[in-house]
Amino acid sequence: MQAAPAARTHSTPQPGHALVDADLNDCLHTYEQRVRGRFAAVLDVLRTLSSCQHERDFAAQAQTLALQKLGFELPTDWLANAWVAGVDMAALHAHCLFQTVAQSVQQAGFDQSCWRARMPIGPQQWRDWGYHTLDFSPCADGRLQALLPFILRTTPAPHVWVKAYAGALFDVEHDVADWTQRELERLTGAIEGGAQLDYLKVAVYHYSSSAPCEQGCAAHGSLDEQAVQAAIERLVALQMAVDNTFGLGAAPQVLLIGVDTDCDAIRIHLPDASGQIHRTRFLDSATLYRSSFGMPAAAAQQAVQQALQRHVTELGGLAAKGNEAGLLALVQAWLIANFSQIEYVNRHHAGRYAVIGHDEAFVCAGEAVPLLHLRNQFYFAHLDTVEEGAADLDVGARIFQGLNVQRGLALPVLVHFTYNARVPGARERAVQRGLRVAQAIRARFSDLAERGLLHCRVAVSERQAGSVLEWAEHAVSAAAH
Ligand SMILES: [Zn+2]
């Protein structure tokens, strides 16, 4: 078990929980400020441009301002004719957002170096605890898009997958395929030490403790019971699918996590001895944080461990595929790691986010942009085709109807797919898939597209390197759609 550093920084005004990593919180706060600052600058610059678009030297002024404040240029032809009909602000807004995403991806190495070096749960830890792959399916909701580094303090790494679906209703067939591929790699020796390691599937639902009926999961009509039950059913379906196809006992280890999106506290539901996950039986990090507050680090650690043991006893045992110690160590690490996030929200957001509802800047459809981790920055729908992701996209579009479209801003959709550079032709196929998805999105939301209120761009990135977003097409203003 990774011990949390006891040393606290000078900038901490009051002593917090002994197991909280204040230095890591400082790193994450710097990251959050820096990336949010880039997105905030976009709105600032656009407001300024809006007020001076009819001036004689507008194009030159706009480029200077963009370069100075945003670090990139704007499409020249969009600015050149601004004095005639004004700038297409919705198009420019979407363009700047996408450029800012690309910039944040490109600078992620620098932006994230501080917190990546201090993450308590990394590849070595989960391998030690018996897992080669962590496959998360959170809800597509933007409030869960900081799940790994912030809420769970877990290193985003190549075999940590985040595939988000509205309501955490992940695609069972896709998961069987993902599991099968990893299992094949494991059996052929491609995973080092794979004989002792398992695949862990985690579904992540969410709820709002202060406004349960309004700010819960939109895909489940803010009905918490339904959100939890539906996630449990998907996990059971995945296990049955693998067991029925590959033989009893083959199914991956499963776990259910709930996130209180008001304050980022978590609930962990462990499967009981019979493998059943119960809707109302879980360990709650906020309760554990409070009950162990004020204790020295070792005592607090012990208190969490004892609570975990008591919980397992109450469940009548644990379905851990012979790896009870490993699973418990991982769960304990996540609960304790989340104490730091609880304190982060306490310190930087007064214990509860100012905006407890939706506040996303754009929709990401396809595969996750692996180097962007911020709460409420984007709504993420994992999909290969629009047909299969239609429900997720519709929920996203509904959210943006309120956030952007009502004030005349567009619905910005970034379509992103990754490719494997070792596979011949993979990049081109990823680009083609992206373009098809973008076309289908324009067709599905044609009412918005016709009014110039849908801006869709396609980017791909190499799966392993992943440090650059490569645009599949040039930016086009609304008039060209
Ligand atoms: Zn949701």
Side-chain angles (χ1 to χ4, degrees), residues 139-141 143-144 165-168 204-206 216-220 358 395:
C139 178
D141 195 297
R143 293 169 290 179
L144 295 185
Y165 297 86
V204 185
Y205 68 91
H206 63 101
C217 186
H220 295 291
H358 289 282
V395 174

Side-chain angles (χ1 to χ4, degrees), residues 108-317:
F110 172 76
D111 292 346
Q112 302 180 359
S113 60
C114 177
W115 59 254
R116 276 184 179 267
R118 293 194 64 94
M119 278 288 132
I121 301 160
Q124 191 55 52
Q125 280 78 26
W126 64 73
R127 280 180 64 85
D128 288 350
W129 297 327
Y131 300 101
H132 57 71
T133 301
L134 307 182
D135 173 352
F136 292 94
S137 279
C139 178
D141 195 297
R143 293 169 290 179
L144 295 185
Q145 301 314 327
L147 181 72
L148 292 181
F150 284 84
I151 297 171
L152 295 177
R153 305 291 165 120
T154 297
T155 309
H159 293 295
V160 180
W161 300 333
V162 180
K163 299 176 289 182
Y165 297 86
L169 298 175
F170 60 86
D171 186 305
V172 173
E173 274 71 25
H174 276 211
D175 269 26
V176 172
D178 287 342
W179 174 87
T180 308
Q181 185 179 338
R182 289 297 278 161
E183 188 64 2
L184 182 64
E185 288 169 359
R186 193 177 75 86
L187 293 172
T188 54
I191 298 175
E192 200 188 328
Q196 282 80 42
L197 302 176
D198 195 8
Y199 183 109
L200 177 67
K201 175 74 197 182
V202 186
V204 185
Y205 68 91
H206 63 101
Y207 62 99
S208 162
S209 52
S210 62
C213 301
E214 294 92 43
Q215 300 297 352
C217 186
H220 295 291
S222 279
L223 296 169
D224 293 348
E225 264 179 43
Q226 191 182 314
V228 184
Q229 194 55 41
I232 292 174
E233 282 165 16
R234 283 294 150 116
L235 291 171
V236 171
L238 172 64
Q239 287 186 302
M240 282 178 66
V242 175
D243 273 349
N244 292 348
T245 313
F246 297 94
L248 202 60
Q253 178 68 50
V254 298
L255 207 56
L256 180 65
I257 295 184
V259 176
D260 179 353
T261 50
D262 295 0
C263 63
D264 285 348
I266 56 170
R267 292 169 172 175
I268 301 188
H269 302 244
L270 284 158
D272 69 13
S274 70
Q276 203 185 339
I277 292 178
H278 301 266
R279 193 170 52 75
T280 53
R281 300 174 82 173
F282 48 78
L283 281 153
D284 176 35
S285 67
T287 307
L288 292 169
Y289 171 86
R290 281 192 298 270
S291 65
S292 56
F293 194 92
M295 291 180 182
Q301 185 112 10
Q302 205 182 3
V304 175
Q305 200 169 0
Q306 284 166 351
L308 199 48
Q309 286 299 346
R310 267 199 311 278
H311 182 66
V312 172
T313 308
E314 282 161 18
L315 285 175

